[in-house]
């Protein structure tokens, strides 16, 4: 599980149901990150908390920096549907 909250404890908790999931929490949208060439171009203070929940996460690359593919054991098939179950609840303060 993961809890995302402010300094006063207000927030949400994300918990897996049957298998672990990958989660990413960022203070910027994908569009803001894509359009900023430098850190100074991102809005400050941030306006959002962007939570992405992923059923699986493919590895980021192979063994070298010139195009080796991800090892088979870290690949996620795009040929089959992925099912992710999770619960969103208020965290206990």
């Amino acid at each position: 599980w993961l809890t995302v909250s402010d300094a006063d404890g207000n927030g949400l908790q994300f918990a897996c149901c049957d298998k672990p999931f990958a989660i990413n929490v960022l203070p910027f949208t994908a569009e803001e990150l894509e359009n900023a060439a430098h850190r100074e171009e991102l809005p400050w203070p941030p306006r959002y908390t962007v939570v992405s929940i992923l059923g699986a996460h493919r590895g980021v690359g192979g063994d070298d920096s010139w195009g080796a593919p991800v090892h088979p054991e870290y690949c996620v098939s795009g040929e089959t549907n992925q099912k992710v179950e999770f619960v969103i609840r208020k965290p206990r303060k």
Side-chain angles (χ1 to χ4, degrees):
W1 57 267
L2 173 80
T3 299
V4 179
S5 63
D6 63 14
D8 296 325
N10 301 307
L12 296 172
Q13 185 177 79
F14 304 87
C16 61
C17 290
D18 58 347
K19 63 180 181 177
F21 56 79
I23 194 163
N24 186 8
V25 181
L26 295 172
F28 306 109
T29 66
E31 183 179 6
E32 289 170 335
L33 291 169
E34 184 70 28
N35 291 322
H38 302 283
R39 179 172 50 189
E40 300 80 32
E41 296 171 0
L42 292 167
W44 196 260
R47 299 176 288 196
Y48 307 102
T49 299
V50 180
V51 178
S52 300
I53 297 174
L54 311 164
H57 189 268
R58 180 183 166 149
V60 295
D63 296 326
D64 58 40
S65 60
W66 53 87
V70 175
H71 293 274
E73 62 267 28
Y74 301 112
C75 288
V76 178
S77 172
E79 302 295 321
T80 59
N81 291 328
Q82 300 291 323
K83 181 179 176 183
V84 179
E85 293 185 46
F86 59 93
V87 175
I88 302 174
R89 58 183 167 229
K90 284 184 73 169
R92 296 185 187 132
K93 290 187 181 185

